[in-house]
Amino acid sequence: MATATLTLAKAVNEGLRAAMERDPKVLVMGEDVGKLGGVFRVTDGLQKDFGEQRVLDTPLAESGIIGTAVGLAIRGFRPVCEIQFDGFVFPGFDQIVSQLAKLRFRSQGKVPMPVVVRIPFGGGIGAVEHHSESPESLFAHVAGLKVVACGNPVDAYWMIQQAIASDDPVIFFEPKRRYWEKAEVDLDATPMPLHASRVVRPGSTATLVGYGAVVKTCLDAAVAAEAEGRDLEVIDLRTISPLDLDPVFESVRRTGRLVVVAEAPSEASVSSEIAARVQEACFHSLEAPVLRVTGFDTPYPPSRIEEDYLPDLDRVLDAVDRSLAW
Amino acid sequence: MSDPQDWTPATADPGLRRPSREQVVAGLKATVEGGPDLVQLLTPEGERVADPRFDAWAADVDVDALQGLYRDMVLVRRFDREANALQRQGQLGIWVPLLGQEAAQIGAGRAMKPQDMAFPSYREHGVAWCRGIDPTELLGIFRGTDHGSWDPIARRFHLYTIVIGNQCLNATGYAMGQKFESKVGDGPDAEATICFFGDGATSQGDVHEGFVWAAVYDAPVVFYCQNNQWAISEPLERQTRVPLYRRAQGYGFPGIRVDGNDVLACLAVTRWALEECRTGNGPVLIEAFTYRMDAHTTSDDPTRYRLADELELWKLKDPIERVRVNLVREHGVGQEFFDGVAAEADELAARFRQFCIDMPTPGPERMFSEVYAEASPPLEAQEEAYLAYLAGFAAE
Ligand SMILES: Cc1ncc(C[n+]2csc(CCOP(=O)(O)OP(=O)(O)O)c2C)c(N)n1
Ligand SMILES: [Mg+2]
């Protein structure tokens, strides 16, 4: 059995490598992904091993990156685009919404769009403006796109390969502040499906659900709550569109309480979607309203006060308290 | 309008073609001088050379003025180095060095009149200096206490723009406004706008659209591209086949390449270009041919993608050194002056450092302030709830 200890960044790297070895049509393209190996080194070594025809240092234009990936996909390639930071995807938003998301529908299935758009997302690294955003809700709102977020190296390794194998366009969010966290990855395992949520910690007092970087925050909160005799269940959503809420429903029916945690602002968001659906599906099981711990409905703040913006262990536990006190 | 043909010679530029591997290894790529169309008034050796087109635009630069430009560059370089050190010591989250681009920025910045407007990207600390933005006012962005502390409208220096290319459209719109308000003409209050961006930025759609808009509306905007040869790890060849200044021809306005390490040439060419714009002959594209002598930012490691030889060759074209040599050789300026500037630079650096260390961190209410002009009740409720939550900790 082959296992490796990988950081999340290296796990994506190994996943990309495996996909590229398996299928010569897989391309990696983006700004600084070649010689430099990406600003987070996620594509490190790939250009050296696969050449400049398969790992493209593109001109500096996100609309160009996505738009040419669409063209390459029409031609039968499977491009994996890197957007350097979350806040820089917007020049490419038109191509994502107008072409990438809609071509299958418009062509009635004659033009598949096996394109992956990788986006390091979220805050917590002390960065300047536009480097810490959580724009996933904007993509989840667009029909035709699939949206996922990995939260640990194991998922990173498998989910990137599954996203590449998918014939649908996948917006692939990577929690940048977790890039350096390590885990043992079983390279021979049979992964769970891409669009499936997972209970990462069973519990009975209340349920926490999150995705990306905040999954670890939720797990830390669960450990802290243990000291107070509270047994929190934690669910890693993993897939944002389509949602897989059955594990959440099942959990809420047992615990009666749900706290949704996300870094993104709360208004018209993934977290509000989850709250709405849980209330529809589990109304009679709920002992308290679904509560949310999220970023605020403001632009991302200057980094010296980002700790105030980001959901942390205390805010999560406070919400659990409020839920239990209901 | 001036005819683009006048300013955009069609000669082939040997400078741009992608160098062979052998050339790169031999360090020959860096011997690119910018091609035959490069405007230069001061050679790297500090010799003043004649330029029939642009001499007039630097004719008033006497020894005092040249000393002033020298001082600007030295002070700007000094606080830039101090900021790099402050980042290394954990006082700044990141710094974006301007090392090597002092002449390109001071020349352009000193060419502006008070009524002109500038739209910087994120590396324009030298232009900020010329606009009277104190270096300490830049620190908040990089320390993480604000997104830009100055009043962009009052100071006529827009906030730094990090999303590559965005400001080219904003600058064009501002310039359209100058024109709509009849600020273009021969009067002393005529205005122009100058927009700063990099070689990498020229690939962005926003830059293309800015060029189109500016051309269609005859907007009084100078597009000032600092071609520092690199966009993080990507060399110029990843962005263009033709020299960048020549792109202007396709949009129907003049494009000109200036030695970006020659402060006198940058001053003269930008003065000319701004005046063209003020008098209704805009837009103009300037390509300041220069070199990023440091890393892209303090987070970057250039040894991964470029050869040290290249830097060594560009050091021979240092923007400050050539002015120093010229002041000594052609104007007999003595050591006293240079010592004085060095002492002033050290004082500035010390003040800059102390200011940085003493900077207060804003409270959480900063996050909720000025999101909207008119009150947003749900946001006010969010703020209230969060501050009450924090007060709960204080009470414990
Ligand atoms: C839209 C967008 N995409 C990507 C980035 C990340 N990024 C920051 S600077 C940079 C390179 C810019 O190169 P250039 O325009 O030549 O300016 P320079 O940094 O060399 O001054 C990149 C890719 C960004 N800031 N904005
Ligand atoms: Mg550049």
Side-chain angles (χ1 to χ4, degrees), chain B residues 24-38:
Chain B
V24 173
V25 172
L28 287 172
K29 176 167 179 271
T31 63
V32 169
E33 298 292 340
D37 303 328
L38 189 81

Side-chain angles (χ1 to χ4, degrees), chain B residues 198-200 226-231:
Chain B
D199 44 293
Q226 287 172 83
N227 173 3
N228 62 9
Q229 315 301 325
W230 293 91

